[in-house]
């Protein structure tokens, strides 16, 4: 436990706060020592206690106070984890960066592209790490795909299709109280996108993590399937990728019966790869004219990058917490490297560039849809 | 075995001829009594013998001769099955219709929309049945989906996504001899489409069979992934459906490792349905907030239409031949009904209207792609 | 269509009669020309008509009359298919054999071992073919397993486990009328076994078909889970196999929610194979330390025996009818070979030796269970 | 973080040590403050540092010293986690109990039944908690099964079959160095069982966790498939369960291609349940004559016990660490309850009674096999 960190957000019952906490712990590199978990003072203290913050004076009433106090302490935090609603990320992140504190933040990193670029600028100036927790980056077999692609195992990529169907919106709408708390469906806070910014963006990052390619053009069509929500709840995006290949990206928060069923299929001239969140420890691999194979996590035949993200013997499931743990582990190692003198990123994890591209992707989709489903260049 | 039929094509080793033969037999309504299976005289006789055509004089050297002879015989055929390359369907079908013989024909029914409409006109004038063998119509659980949708089990449909990934083209290209025989990749015969017309069109028919909806608009993007084939080998189509819902349709003949993996997923406001060709006897059904269900073919809880297409106890797989058999059975019953005096279609099977819509769909996709991926109204 | 055959049974609505009919047709070697489908005269004629028996005089009122008449005709049948209840097989089969007619019969071939051996003796004396329709023999990927084992792909077999869970009994018991018709649950006709003789015996044959091994010892435990049925409805059998390996065989007709879920898993020193009836066109193959593979039916990498039983392009499902068709095709070819002078079996299909071993297996299981679950040598 | 604990073992690279560490953390109830992780002093300190033990003086050179020192400190540990080889558990556990420290220990809890009973006696006398980490108890959907059974959802249980095929032994044998370190294959330490005691025992506990039933009789056959290992590597056990139902239990460490593929299927008179470790967040449920259902973890329709073990939204995989975490959480809560005055177990987790029954089960299997596969009463 070489690092100390604090958390902003996470105390209002959203599951993602606990995911950050568990993820930060798993690798054994970071200890939670302070936080501002919610603006409700009592819940703030409760969350702190539950999560092992030992010193009550390090439970802060707002993030500004925390940034100020922690940056002054000799034993102040090494980094801050930001798990608040999307439209608050920028102000918080900027302040901590300015105080010289490394930042790891939930996605999307900011509301506007300018904000994201601004954060990048500050982080660079101050030689600080900036992680963005695109969760699916953290799965070992996503990296196995990447390693196999780079080794030429599927030839040249010609087509990528990825999807994230889910039904959380419909479930949550059934309860009036839950609905009221959903800041995501408030058009004023949403900047023109609900489904795409919430989960479509995960797929954008996943394509990059799994293939190394980036999206260069989009043609998006948004579907508005819930009567009184003027934001898209289902989203289809045709893609052009940086190597000239085509792609397709579908996300939905109204797909009844689907449970975070993230899937990516990558087709090359000689083979294909498929990864599915429902069985995250497997990677399907086919070569033209040969039997389909399923690679299992943490078997010897996997690549070094994939193995570095695998902890249990094959067949013992690792899941979402462990994926987060893998991202946190690399982020922490990078923070340590900077503390030991590094002046650039030494470990591979989703950083502010992932964040910038994520914002740009959503912006382009919104624009494409508004203009009548035309191609927009990123 | 109440009906006699003849076959055009099927004698050059294409698997689809035998599928027609077996399909026609399964229901027990039709006996193969004549044919022109190939223009090679010896192979023509061999095919006839292998398939049980007992009278060698009814093995014809071309379809014209067969139409002439059979229409003159007192015991001439009741219907003809056409399994030749796509661009020959029209001439053959028209001739037999004109001779007063019912027709069942492979898809796509013709090369142009005008031709398809022409066939419809003649068939109507002559009170003849015209079947088009959109194979996936023949699966019992596709009809179970339709019955459940009509009973309101998933609410209002908001989104449909369907796909047909396959790798046959890449496999066939590996062999020079095989390649030479592929009339499908000859641009002169293809009318601007390879993948969409070959398998995408199956999905178009499947959407209609499974949901009752029709496609009203398309926005298509064709991918040309094989260097020296100037036809699309991968095809993405955004859809608008007749009830206002959106959809997506993907077909590929270069998807390495995929085996006729037809899938359709139908999302409604209250539930969803999914059918997958890899396990055709199952239908996945989810209702919002309830456990996902898998309905199995030929269980009592299925609907009448689905049960009418099921023959074996649950768990005993029925496959592609049986799907064809179901289409043939209904077509044969309809032919019998006409012979007994009916003046309109009495049974549900893919008919010339399916054929017409299929041609229109491909035309619209070609146009959309050519114009730069814009919406085209069907 | 080189052969003519007749059928005994199949006219009372049992699905298996139609399976024989369709199976016999598929390969294109046999034409149904006569039969005694049921003792009910009207239903007998109806079945004949439905199934294409053209000559009403060849619809017989009992099997004796049919054996007599057909053996006298110049154009009499080449073989008979027997699909009646188990305890009637022997008398019927013996009579047709004695009349010089080849026989194909449902399993179990007879009620006693002596009867089975007697049939073998007569068939040998008369140089007649005797097929027993162990359905699972007919699946192409079962043969692929056999070919891979023989090629040493999994090393030495050390363990085989196979299962057939089903719930048909419980479903049928819910309806009083159905229950009355179930000759299988009549202890007087059952010879001490219900589940094992009905479906366990399929697994015994499957082990042999898939591995080439035979069962040499059994230790069986029968479970009597339905109150008023004094026959086992669930059956566990520990096995010793002919190469010294161990095995396990489980069958159940009270396994709620299971649909003919036949599965066999074969473990060797270097690899393993698994075949599952729910996806019969796949074969799972693992080699120690390598990714698991799934071989798909009718792909080029399969063996000659497997390919000879495959008809459709990979991914187009073939099912239970086609499995029956494969058995019939080989049986028919063997009949033709005898007619052309052969004096021994020339094709591989389940024959009277399969039948004999099946009866012996059930007898040994009954004895083992009665003696308190002790090892019985076959 | 209300509790402090120490660990014995875990520092030699065995994965299970880290599983305990992560498991103990997840619920947020316990902090690792001391340990004796290995007898190698340097590795001992390294493990301590890596796992966040802040005080080097609490890294002990043997367990005796640790028990002594920690029981003397005012801020000594609340409980100890024992993750050493099986045959060392007893001495360690007894010592800590005698010092008044709660114990959580890996399975099997001891080498002999007497030892296990002895531990129970001491724990009772001292009012101490004793947990045994039967990992599969910790999966939420195992508890969902239990809750549904208790609510009568499948009627009366008539048959249970469970299996744990794995190939770790064969993989490890390939490397001479690895082989040397495998204390499990040393007959002197193994007490007559390798596979059954290593993984078969997990199934025994799983049956109890999932159904509430206990095993009352066994008939075991051990297979010795690896030439120079005189211990069973594959194990089949026929079961009689406490309600009179039958069962079957198969474990194997030579099942090539299998990855901890634990599965349990429970058949009742009205329904069935199936849980599979490969998709641990699902529970298959069938009712007679109705479509099969799949319940997903953390959906509202699940029971309270299952929900209490679920942390992430449905579809976000939780795995093996989280299962351990669930066991630890309940154990920790029980320790806290004792500290707050409870004089008996207040939370449900696998305790010393699970441990006792596990030892008894293995003993009975060994005896049954040695006596020639006869029934042994537990």
């Amino acid at each position: 436990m070489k690092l100390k960190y604090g958390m902003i957000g996470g105390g209002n019952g959203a599951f993602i706060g606990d995911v950050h906490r568990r993820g930060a712990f798993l690798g054994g590199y970071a200890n939670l020592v302070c936080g501002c978990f919610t603006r409700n003072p009592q819940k703030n203290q409760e969350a702190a206690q539950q999560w092992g913050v030992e010193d009550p004076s390090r439970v802060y009433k707002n993030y500004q106070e925390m940034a100020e106090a922690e940056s002054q302490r000799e034993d102040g935090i090494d980094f801050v984890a930001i798990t608040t609603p999307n439209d608050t990320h920028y102000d918080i992140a900027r302040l901590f960066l300015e105080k010289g504190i490394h930042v790891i933040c939930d996605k999307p990193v900011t509301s506007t592209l300018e904000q994201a670029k601004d954060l990048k600028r500050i982080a660079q100036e101050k030689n600080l790490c900036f992680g963005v927790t695109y969760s699916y980056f953290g799965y070992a077999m996503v990296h196995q795909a990447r390693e196999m692609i780079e080794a030429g195992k599927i030839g040249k990529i010609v087509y990528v299709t990825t999807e994230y169907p889910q039904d959380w919106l419909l479930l949550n709408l059934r309860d009036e109280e839950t609905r009221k708390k959903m800041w995501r469906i408030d058009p004023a806070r949403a900047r023109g996108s609900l489904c795409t910014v919430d989960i479509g963006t995960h797929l954008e990052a996943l394509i990059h993590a799994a293939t190394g390619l980036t999206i260069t053009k989009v043609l998006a069509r948004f579907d508005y399937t819930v009567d009184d929500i003027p934001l898209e709840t289902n989203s289809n995006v045709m893609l052009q990728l940086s190597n000239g290949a085509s792609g397709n990206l579908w996300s939905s928060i109204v797909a009844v019966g689907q449970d975070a069923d993230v899937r990516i299929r990558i087709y090359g001239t000689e083979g294909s790869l498929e990864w599915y969140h429902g069985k995250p420890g497997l990677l399907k691999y086919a070569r033209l004219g040969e039997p389909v194979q399923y690679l299992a996590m943490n078997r010897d035949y996997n690549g070094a990058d994939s193995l570095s993200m695998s902890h249990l013997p094959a067949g013992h499931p690792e899941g979402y917490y462990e994926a987060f743990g893998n991202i946190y582990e690399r982020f922490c190692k990078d923070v340590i490297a900077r503390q030991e003198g590094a002046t650039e990123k030494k470990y591979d994890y989703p950083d502010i560039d992932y964040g910038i591209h994520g914002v740009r992707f959503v912006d382009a989709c919104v624009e494409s849809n508004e203009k009548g489903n035309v191609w927009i260049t990123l």
Side-chain angles (χ1 to χ4, degrees), chain A residues 279-347:
Chain A
K279 292 201 77 170
L282 293 182
L283 181 67
K284 183 180 175 186
Y285 173 48
R287 281 190 70 78
L288 188 61
E290 297 179 13
V292 167
Q293 299 179 25
Y294 284 85
L295 287 81
M297 192 170 164
N298 220 7
R299 289 266 191 187
D300 289 348
Y301 48 68
N302 289 299
D305 196 33
S306 169
L307 288 172
S308 81
M309 298 176 109
S310 306
H311 310 89
L312 288 169
H316 294 77
E318 299 191 43
Y320 195 75
Y321 291 122
E322 288 70 51
F324 248 74
N326 285 327
I327 293 173
Y328 262 93
E329 178 170 334
R330 291 175 170 206
F331 171 78
C332 288
K333 284 180 173 172
D334 208 34
V335 169
I336 293 168
R338 303 282 176 126
Q339 293 176 337
E340 293 172 347
T343 56
E344 54 176 22
K345 197 180 169 196
K346 296 288 188 190
Y347 293 89

Side-chain angles (χ1 to χ4, degrees), chain A residues 45 68 110 119 122 145 148 151 161 169 210 242 246 258 260 279-280 330 334 354 356 377:
Chain A
Q45 283 294 346
E68 187 64 31
T110 57
L119 294 181
I122 306 176
M148 291 175 74
T161 179
L169 181 70
S242 48
S246 288
Q258 302 283 4
K279 292 201 77 170
R330 291 175 170 206
D334 208 34
Y354 267 80
I356 288 171
T377 301

Side-chain angles (χ1 to χ4, degrees), chain A residues 90-111:
Chain A
Y90 172 66
D91 290 340
I92 302 170
R94 196 190 46 187
L95 181 58
F96 279 89
L97 288 177
E98 285 169 349
K99 297 289 184 188
I101 293 169
H102 303 275
V103 172
I104 189 165
C105 179
D106 224 299
K107 45 54 56 183
V109 67
T110 57
S111 293

Side-chain angles (χ1 to χ4, degrees), chain A residues 156-340:
Chain A
K156 179 177 174 293
I157 293 175
V158 297
Y159 186 66
V160 177
T161 179
T162 183
E163 61 186 49
Y164 194 149
Q166 209 177 8
D167 62 8
W168 75 258
L169 181 70
L170 296 180
L171 285 174
N172 283 7
L173 289 178
R174 299 193 301 181
D175 180 60
E176 199 52 41
E177 284 312 300
T178 307
R179 176 170 187 148
K180 281 184 196 153
K181 285 189 284 189
M182 284 196 288
W183 49 265
R184 280 186 175 81
I185 64 171
D186 177 355
R189 303 182 70 176
R191 293 186 45 258
S193 174
L194 168 50
C195 176
T196 313
V197 77
D198 183 35
I199 59 172
T201 187
H202 273 303
L203 300 178
E204 181 269 332
L206 176 60
I207 289 175
H208 186 62
T211 69
L213 301 175
T214 50
I215 296 170
T216 54
K217 284 189 190 176
V218 298
L219 185 162
R221 184 203 23 199
F222 288 1
D223 298 315
Y224 303 80
T225 70
V226 179
D227 279 351
D228 48 357
I229 298 183
L231 292 164
E232 100 283 16
T233 56
N234 190 73
S235 167
N236 255 282
V237 191
M238 287 181 171
L239 309 174
Q240 185 172 313
L241 302 174
S242 48
N243 75 338
S246 288
N248 197 64
L249 186 157
W250 169 49
S251 55
S252 183
I253 51 179
V254 294
V256 176
Q258 302 283 4
D259 288 331
D261 285 324
V262 177
R263 190 183 296 268
I264 184 166
R265 291 180 277 180
I266 306 157
Y267 296 96
T269 48
E270 296 171 31
S272 69
L273 290 162
E274 176 173 348
W275 179 81
Y276 170 49
H277 195 215
K279 292 201 77 170
L282 293 182
L283 181 67
K284 183 180 175 186
Y285 173 48
R287 281 190 70 78
L288 188 61
E290 297 179 13
V292 167
Q293 299 179 25
Y294 284 85
L295 287 81
M297 192 170 164
N298 220 7
R299 289 266 191 187
D300 289 348
Y301 48 68
N302 289 299
D305 196 33
S306 169
L307 288 172
S308 81
M309 298 176 109
S310 306
H311 310 89
L312 288 169
H316 294 77
E318 299 191 43
Y320 195 75
Y321 291 122
E322 288 70 51
F324 248 74
N326 285 327
I327 293 173
Y328 262 93
E329 178 170 334
R330 291 175 170 206
F331 171 78
C332 288
K333 284 180 173 172
D334 208 34
V335 169
I336 293 168
R338 303 282 176 126
Q339 293 176 337
E340 293 172 347

Side-chain angles (χ1 to χ4, degrees), chain A residues 134-164:
Chain A
Y134 282 105
S135 343
Y136 302 95
F137 179 97
Y139 283 102
M141 297 315 275
V142 168
H143 290 257
Q144 180 60 25
R146 175 77 168 268
E147 291 180 277
M148 291 175 74
I149 289 165
E150 288 177 353
K153 298 285 190 191
I154 64 168
K156 179 177 174 293
I157 293 175
V158 297
Y159 186 66
V160 177
T161 179
T162 183
E163 61 186 49
Y164 194 149

